[in-house]
Amino acid sequence: MDPGRREMMERPPPTKSREATAPRRDPNTRVTKSSKFDTRSKTAKDTARYLSQDEQSRQFVADEDKFVLKQSKKKADIRVREGRAKPIDCLAFNLRYIDPDRDVFDDTDCDIEIELQAPAAIVESLSVDQLDELQSDIVSFQVLEQDPTNRQYWDALKTLCKDQKTKVDPRGREDRVLSVVAEDIDKILRPKTFDQLEALEKQIKAKLRSNENIDTDYWEQLLKNLAVWKSKATLARIFQSITEAREKILKERGNAGKTHTAVQNSSTSNSVTAVENSSSNQPTGNEDISQVTKALYDREAARGVSENEEVFTGEEALPSSVKPQWTERYRARKPRYFNRVQMGYEWNKYNQTHYDHDNPPPKVVQGYKFNIFYPDLIDKTKAPTYKIIREHGRRRGESHVAAGEADTCLIHFTAGPPYEDIAFRVVDREWDFSAKKERGFRSTFDKASCMNWPLYRLVFEDSH
């Protein structure tokens, strides 16, 4: 082989001064940029943006567990309301007042009137078969629950249920402590607080780990009983907070008729003033003051009013009529509402002649938006209805007022027990029943809210 060629082959390959894909060095350019760092950062961002398959699976399982837990609580609430509750239903119903994930729209006005039962009293009143069933039901809630306080609640109930089962069925007891000794242990532990029980637990565990000559059976049984009393103390503390939360709601209801509520978060400063000054946002007399109604009202009021709308409170007294028979069974209440009146310009031939867009005519009523709340209807299968009442024998299309003025009528809403009828005075004009999205008439009843939007036909006349 040629010596020169051999030397070239044996020589180590030269190191590359730059990557093949890197930009060439240009002496005429002051700054050269490398795309290598940008490519890596983009890849890192894409990796962080998308979840891995394992993370997606975990997220799906967590959402599924949350849904199952919510449905289990709903079923328990329904059985409690209908008077066919099982022990687990009563225990789950107690947590509604402190549950952070509770949806207020799942509640009814009568829920607050249902008396709560102490968890320990429920467990101590059960038989062996009932305790077995309750233990299984508790595990279902215990596995799904994520809130720390709720988990403490179910853990303590599980411990208490296991202890009660050994008391009801003595054959299941594994300890060799006589009943007299057990009574003495209970006398020692009963008056102690949760913190004192925890301190005593540490002392007992230290004693059992020591080399002292002690009665191991006694101290181990004392440790078991101490766990039971810690569970009782935990349940007592949680049930106390539940009771206080319920009493707070009852107190707020008692004072709701005497206090004024202000509506905030309107779309414009003018709408805020209009909403706060409206009489419909102040519960008076026998007006519905339930928490669900308040939530519905606040949600609707938070939407505010648009540029061409105003808050409408033209409520009218109904003509004297016989009270419905259901008033003997249910306490009648007046529904709450948040109504709007829609204003605008009417460009008829006269207005087109005398006005223009720079000097517009006075605004006239172009429609209404009634939002009336009925969350606690006894018969939820029947939607509220409305009818038009024209006074003094006037018929549709007839006018009894002077030229240039508008006739008015009453729109009368009826829902059924426990809600009273309610009426509003509106301008009597022809309604627009077209299928237009923004202009057509709408009347729906969904999620305890009756929405009735009668909008009038707009008048557009050709000036030519």
Side-chain angles (χ1 to χ4, degrees):
M1 181 182 292
D2 183 50
R5 182 174 179 81
R6 182 185 298 277
E7 182 182 358
M8 182 182 66
M9 293 177 62
E10 293 177 353
R11 186 185 306 164
T15 57
K16 293 183 179 181
S17 59
R18 65 179 180 86
E19 294 185 3
T21 59
R24 294 182 178 181
R25 186 177 184 83
D26 187 356
N28 297 323
T29 305
R30 299 176 62 184
V31 179
T32 58
K33 298 181 180 180
S34 174
S35 61
K36 186 174 181 180
F37 176 80
D38 294 340
T39 303
R40 289 180 180 178
S41 62
K42 184 175 184 301
T43 305
K45 291 179 181 178
D46 291 342
T47 304
R49 186 182 303 145
Y50 300 105
L51 296 175
S52 66
Q53 186 173 359
D54 292 340
E55 290 174 335
Q56 289 178 355
S57 300
R58 286 194 293 269
Q59 183 66 35
F60 175 80
V61 172
D63 294 340
E64 183 71 14
D65 290 346
K66 190 174 182 179
F67 173 78
V68 173
L69 178 62
K70 186 175 182 180
Q71 294 302 310
S72 299
K73 292 178 180 179
K74 281 187 177 181
K75 292 178 182 178
D77 292 346
I78 292 172
R79 286 192 289 264
V80 170
R81 295 186 192 115
E82 296 178 353
R84 51 186 183 91
K86 300 189 295 184
I88 189 66
D89 299 329
C90 297
L91 295 170
F93 187 84
N94 288 348
L95 287 175
R96 64 189 295 106
Y97 296 102
I98 61 171
D99 193 348
D101 297 329
R102 189 79 188 173
D103 189 353
V104 68
F105 295 106
D106 294 336
D107 300 341
T108 62
D109 191 39
C110 62
D111 289 345
I112 194 68
E113 300 174 3
I114 299 176
E115 293 296 332
L116 302 179
Q117 301 181 47
I122 295 175
V123 174
E124 292 171 358
S125 64
L126 302 179
S127 62
V128 177
D129 295 336
Q130 290 175 322
L131 288 169
D132 288 334
E133 182 182 1
L134 180 59
Q135 273 186 305
S136 176
D137 294 334
I138 288 174
V139 172
S140 301
F141 278 93
Q142 191 180 26
V143 171
L144 298 173
E145 192 63 72
Q146 297 297 324
D147 182 71
T149 303
N150 293 355
R151 287 187 64 88
Q152 291 179 7
Y153 181 80
W154 294 116
D155 291 343
L157 277 170
K158 185 178 179 181
T159 302
L160 191 61
C161 192
K162 183 179 179 180
D163 177 72
Q164 182 64 20
K165 187 177 176 182
T166 61
K167 293 179 179 179
V168 177
D169 186 11
R171 293 173 297 177
R173 294 178 68 92
E174 298 178 355
D175 58 272
R176 296 183 288 108
V177 179
L178 298 176
S179 59
V180 177
V181 179
E183 291 177 1
D184 293 339
I185 292 176
D186 290 341
K187 288 180 181 179
I188 296 173
L189 301 178
R190 184 178 290 109
K192 295 187 179 297
T193 63
F194 183 84
D195 295 336
Q196 291 173 339
L197 290 171
E198 278 198 327
L200 181 59
E201 183 180 29
K202 294 178 181 178
Q203 295 175 8
I204 295 174
K205 288 181 178 180
K207 185 179 287 292
L208 288 172
R209 287 194 300 266
S210 66
N211 295 325
E212 298 180 21
N213 186 14
I214 58 175
D215 187 349
T216 306
D217 292 338
Y218 171 81
W219 289 106
E220 287 181 349
Q221 182 59 32
L222 181 58
L223 191 62
K224 290 180 181 179
N225 285 23
L226 190 144
V228 174
W229 281 100
K230 279 182 62 178
S231 298
K232 289 183 178 181
T234 300
L235 290 174
R237 174 176 53 83
I238 295 176
F239 188 67
Q240 178 65 26
S241 62
I242 291 172
T243 305
E244 291 175 354
R246 179 174 178 266
E247 290 176 352
K248 182 179 179 181
I249 295 175
L250 288 171
K251 186 177 180 180
E252 289 176 353
R253 287 196 176 189
N255 296 332
K258 303 176 183 179
T259 58
H260 301 292
T261 57
V263 179
Q264 301 174 350
N265 302 323
S266 296
S267 59
T268 62
S269 59
N270 292 335
S271 64
V272 171
T273 304
V275 170
E276 290 179 348
N277 292 336
S278 65
S279 61
S280 63
N281 71 334
Q282 299 176 1
T284 57
N286 63 335
E287 190 169 88
D288 188 4
I289 56 175
S290 66
Q291 292 295 313
V292 179
T293 303
K294 184 178 182 300
L296 289 169
Y297 177 87
D298 291 343
R299 184 177 64 178
E300 186 62 36
R303 296 174 181 172
V305 292
S306 63
E307 182 180 357
N308 295 326
E309 292 179 346
E310 297 177 5
V311 176
F312 177 65
T313 58
E315 184 179 345
E316 289 281 328
L318 288 168
S320 57
S321 59
V322 180
K323 288 187 178 181
Q325 296 181 354
W326 57 260
T327 54
E328 300 177 357
R329 298 178 54 192
Y330 306 102
R331 181 181 63 83
R333 68 187 75 167
K334 190 179 79 171
R336 292 196 71 182
Y337 56 84
F338 189 90
N339 303 334
R340 302 172 179 86
V341 57
Q342 187 167 325
M343 309 293 290
Y345 303 115
E346 187 171 313
W347 293 105
N348 52 30
K349 185 172 292 187
Y350 178 87
N351 287 343
Q352 290 181 35
T353 303
H354 296 83
Y355 300 96
D356 54 33
H357 290 285
D358 295 330
N359 183 28
K363 287 186 177 182
V364 297
V365 175
Q366 293 185 341
Y368 300 88
K369 294 182 179 180
F370 295 101
N371 296 277
I372 310 173
F373 313 116
Y374 301 104
D376 297 323
L377 276 176
I378 302 301
D379 188 356
K380 291 182 172 58
T381 61
K382 295 181 180 179
T385 60
Y386 71 92
K387 62 182 178 180
I388 301 298
I389 301 176
R390 296 180 176 88
E391 299 101 333
H392 311 298
R394 186 172 61 84
R395 297 181 180 180
R396 180 180 178 183
E398 295 181 348
S399 179
H400 291 177
V401 297
E405 298 182 9
D407 287 288
T408 62
C409 61
L410 294 180
I411 180 169
H412 179 175
F413 292 93
T414 303
Y419 293 100
E420 297 176 347
D421 293 359
I422 192 170
F424 303 92
R425 183 165 296 279
V426 298
V427 176
D428 191 4
R429 290 177 55 187
E430 184 179 0
W431 292 6
D432 184 359
F433 288 98
S434 64
K436 296 178 182 178
K437 181 178 180 182
E438 298 296 333
R439 285 296 315 165
F441 167 80
R442 276 187 282 174
S443 181
T444 60
F445 180 63
D446 183 35
K447 296 182 179 178
S449 178
C450 175
M451 184 180 71
N452 187 285
W453 292 7
L455 303 178
Y456 300 134
R457 286 188 181 276
L458 298 182
V459 178
F460 296 97
E461 296 182 0
D462 191 353
S463 60
H464 300 289

